Amino acid sequence: MIKVYHNPRCRKSRAGLQYIQEKGLEHEIILYIKDQPFDKAALRDILKKLDMQASELLRTQEDIYKKEIKGKDLSEDEMIQKMIDNPRIIRRPIVEKGDKAVVADPPENAEAII
């Protein structure tokens, strides 16, 4: 089953979800900002599936990023905690299937795992 970590208020996230839906693929929508499914272990698991460091999954245009992260020498653990505390700074949508995941921005990135 495909999991889509989605923010319905985000245009890019809606486009990624629409791409999965148009393919007719069975999927589960996870409203990660509202439901907060991430703890440190879950976020580390997603990062491993994405083959990314925490810094690569950050939305750098968010105010919280500019105030609390930009220009600071934060450890991986500290960045992960910032993402847990402020899930809006996580890039989206994340599409996960099995032991792989991609950031579906652009939506066609999902092809790599579906």
Side-chain angles (χ1 to χ4, degrees):
M1 160 98 57
I2 295 171
K3 293 182 182 180
V4 181
Y5 295 87
H6 175 58
N7 176 1
R9 296 185 63 157
C10 174
R11 178 184 54 81
K12 291 178 180 180
S13 191
R14 290 191 307 268
L17 177 60
Q18 181 179 351
Y19 187 84
I20 297 296
Q21 290 171 331
E22 287 175 353
K23 293 279 186 184
L25 301 169
E26 187 177 340
H27 62 282
E28 173 186 2
I29 298 170
I30 300 166
L31 302 175
Y32 73 96
I33 292 174
K34 179 182 169 203
D35 298 337
Q36 298 185 335
F38 294 122
D39 58 17
K40 280 189 180 183
L43 200 46
R44 284 187 185 284
D45 186 52
I46 285 287
L47 287 165
K48 181 178 179 184
K49 290 177 181 185
L50 289 164
D51 192 27
M52 287 184 173
Q53 299 295 311
S55 60
E56 297 172 278
L57 193 57
L58 293 170
R59 294 176 42 108
T60 59
Q61 68 272 37
E62 295 289 333
D63 285 341
I64 194 77
Y65 172 85
K66 292 172 185 173
K67 291 176 186 173
E68 297 189 20
I69 300 170
K70 185 178 181 180
K72 297 193 173 146
D73 188 23
L74 300 177
S75 69
E76 185 81 356
D77 219 33
E78 290 169 322
M79 281 191 267
I80 288 171
Q81 189 59 54
K82 293 284 186 194
M83 287 191 269
I84 292 166
D85 295 342
N86 307 284
R88 290 191 195 292
I89 63 173
I90 299 172
R91 289 176 57 202
R92 55 196 173 240
I94 298 171
V95 178
E96 175 187 17
K97 182 179 179 187
D99 63 350
K100 296 190 188 260
V102 295
V103 176
D105 174 26
E108 296 78 17
N109 286 354
E111 286 295 326
I113 64 167
I114 58 175

